[in-house]
Amino acid sequence: MSSETEPSEPAGGWPLIVALALCQLVSYGSIYYAFALFIAPMEAELGWSRTSISGAASLGLLVSGLCAYGMGRWIDRHGGRWLMAAGSLLAVVLLAAWSRVETAGGFTLVWFGLGVVMAATQYQALFPVLIRRYRASYRTRITVVTLIAGFASTVFIPLNHVLIDALGWRQALVVLALGQLVVCVPVHGLWLRDGGPAGGTPVPQAAHRPAAGPGPVRRALGTRTFWGLVLCFSATSLTNSVIAFHAVPLLDERGFTPGVAVGAIALIGPAQVAARLAVFAAGRRSSTVAIGRVALAVLPVAFAVLMLWPGSVAALFVFALAFGGVNGTMTIVRATAVPDLLWREGYGAINGVVALPTTFAHAAAPIIAAHMWTTFGGYDTVVWAMAGCAAVAAGAFWFAVRSAATAG
């Protein structure tokens, strides 16, 4: 790992990267992945509808996307230390407040705040920090972070289940709040030091970066590369969201037993981690362009397999492995495409603009899929539509790469 680190890069090194990755694991595990396990006990105690409970989480996702640009600009100018520390403290307060909610309005306000927390503390905030701090080795460090944080669902889904069974859902949330306080607040507030000018030795940037002129966001908006990436990431976000929210009813409709369905879904997480480990092992021998092209070529094929052999257990498991592997590698591509294909200047703000349409796609996808299921009387049309989205994503990425090359 040290071979990728420039001598002039700031101190902190790999122990700090591991600590930041653990913060991501705790943050995703106690907010994003925790939500699904709290739906049923909240329904049982409070009598709220599943729609109203899920609607609060959708609002949080939208708020996260809306905040991404402003927070990205803050990180570009001031670093992420105080923003991420404040977000972690707010997470402690809001998880504790969630444990005391009695009204749907209060719950919605909590998730509005958690949307701000996610924008301030999760990948969308951390990746600009790493790219800003480690100019020569950011891709390796991002890969390590995603490797560790990729176990968030593996660790926290069973952990949250045990906590809810043992303590009840309200006290389980108090434990999650304490986890934020003990792990995330000290790392972000006391250990992370990234204020002032971006660190590291400058390395060659995309050849087509202009030397002067409009700000980095305005320059990006004027490139075909930027819009190709927006279309690519929005399409992949849509497919990921549909699978996340509709996998269980889709497989039930296909006649798979609950055991087979759960087993297939459980493969997605390890496949993500395995793919990221392969990227890490490849190191500098691979590039964002190569990784993205391969992953996005596989995705439409995976959906076609699911469609062409609808009752095959083998085909289902092939799909799960392929989908997980693509999802794992695309997290890295999503983080590194802007600095590799455009430029690093203003990365946080540019990435924040990219995040807005992708967040809307992520939030709208479950509703779109449900409407298609109702209209067409089954999931076949949904799956073919996802294959089409995957093909669009692949084409958009190729377009973005070609545009970057010709602009240079």
Side-chain angles (χ1 to χ4, degrees):
M1 290 185 292
S2 59
S3 63
E4 291 225 356
T5 304
E6 295 288 336
S8 60
E9 286 190 342
W14 291 104
L16 174 60
I17 296 300
V18 172
L20 290 169
L22 290 174
C23 290
Q24 293 297 301
L25 185 145
V26 171
S27 182
Y28 275 98
S30 58
I31 300 173
Y32 186 83
Y33 290 111
F35 177 79
L37 282 85
F38 286 87
I39 293 176
M42 290 181 68
E43 282 180 332
E45 178 180 328
L46 300 170
W48 300 346
S49 69
R50 184 160 299 193
T51 300
S52 65
I53 295 173
S54 299
S58 294
L59 174 64
L61 291 173
L62 290 174
V63 169
S64 177
L66 291 170
C67 290
Y69 171 71
M71 292 187 177
R73 286 195 67 187
W74 173 275
I75 293 170
D76 288 338
R77 295 179 178 183
H78 307 290
R81 178 188 182 187
W82 297 116
L83 179 67
M84 299 187 78
S88 297
L89 279 171
L90 184 58
V92 175
V93 173
L94 290 172
L95 287 171
W98 182 1
S99 75
R100 295 289 179 262
V101 294
E102 297 291 347
T103 66
F107 180 61
T108 300
L109 285 175
V110 165
W111 267 92
F112 184 96
L114 286 174
V116 177
V117 166
M118 289 188 286
T121 61
Q122 294 183 353
Y123 284 159
Q124 193 66 35
L126 180 60
F127 290 161
V129 168
L130 297 180
I131 288 173
R132 186 176 185 274
R133 182 182 175 91
Y134 302 105
R135 297 178 67 87
S137 60
Y138 61 87
R139 188 158 68 88
T140 300
R141 295 174 189 271
I142 285 172
T143 303
V144 171
V145 167
T146 60
L147 270 173
I148 297 171
F151 287 99
S153 61
T154 306
V155 173
F156 272 85
I157 287 178
L159 175 61
N160 287 325
H161 180 74
V162 169
L163 289 174
I164 292 169
D165 278 354
L167 304 174
W169 68 271
R170 293 185 183 274
Q171 291 304 309
L173 285 165
V174 173
V175 173
L176 295 180
L178 289 173
Q180 290 276 344
L181 181 63
V182 171
V183 177
C184 300
V185 173
V187 172
H188 293 151
L190 301 178
W191 195 347
L192 177 62
R193 303 293 178 101
D194 71 330
T201 300
V203 294
Q205 309 222 3
H208 59 286
R209 172 184 170 180
V217 173
R218 288 184 61 190
R219 294 203 306 269
L221 290 171
T223 67
R224 292 179 297 174
T225 299
F226 173 85
W227 293 107
L229 293 177
V230 166
L231 180 57
C232 172
F233 298 146
S234 296
T236 54
S237 181
L238 192 147
T239 60
N240 290 344
S241 185
V242 168
I243 294 301
F245 284 87
H246 287 273
V248 173
L250 187 157
L251 297 180
D252 179 66
E253 180 181 281
R254 294 285 176 87
F256 292 107
T257 65
V260 170
V262 169
I265 294 170
L267 281 177
I268 293 175
Q272 289 178 342
V273 174
R276 292 167 184 165
L277 188 60
V279 171
F280 177 70
R284 294 191 178 209
R285 290 172 294 175
S286 62
S287 67
T288 296
V289 170
I291 296 166
R293 281 176 168 170
V294 171
L296 290 166
V298 169
L299 190 58
V301 175
F303 277 105
V305 167
L306 188 64
M307 193 66 231
L308 293 172
W309 291 278
S312 168
V313 174
L316 172 62
F317 277 67
V318 167
F319 168 81
L321 289 170
F323 180 82
V326 170
N327 197 34
T329 53
M330 285 305 296
T331 302
I332 299 168
V333 173
R334 172 72 175 78
T336 59
V338 167
D340 285 356
L341 298 180
L342 290 169
W343 45 78
R344 294 182 182 86
E345 181 190 359
Y347 169 83
I350 295 171
N351 222 36
V353 176
V354 174
L356 186 57
T358 59
T359 300
F360 275 108
H362 185 79
I367 300 170
I368 294 171
H371 180 72
M372 291 178 67
W373 178 83
T374 302
T375 302
F376 296 101
Y379 277 107
D380 285 358
T381 304
V382 175
V383 176
W384 280 119
M386 293 306 97
C389 283
V392 168
F397 187 77
W398 279 79
F399 173 79
V401 171
R402 180 58 182 261
S403 298
T406 56

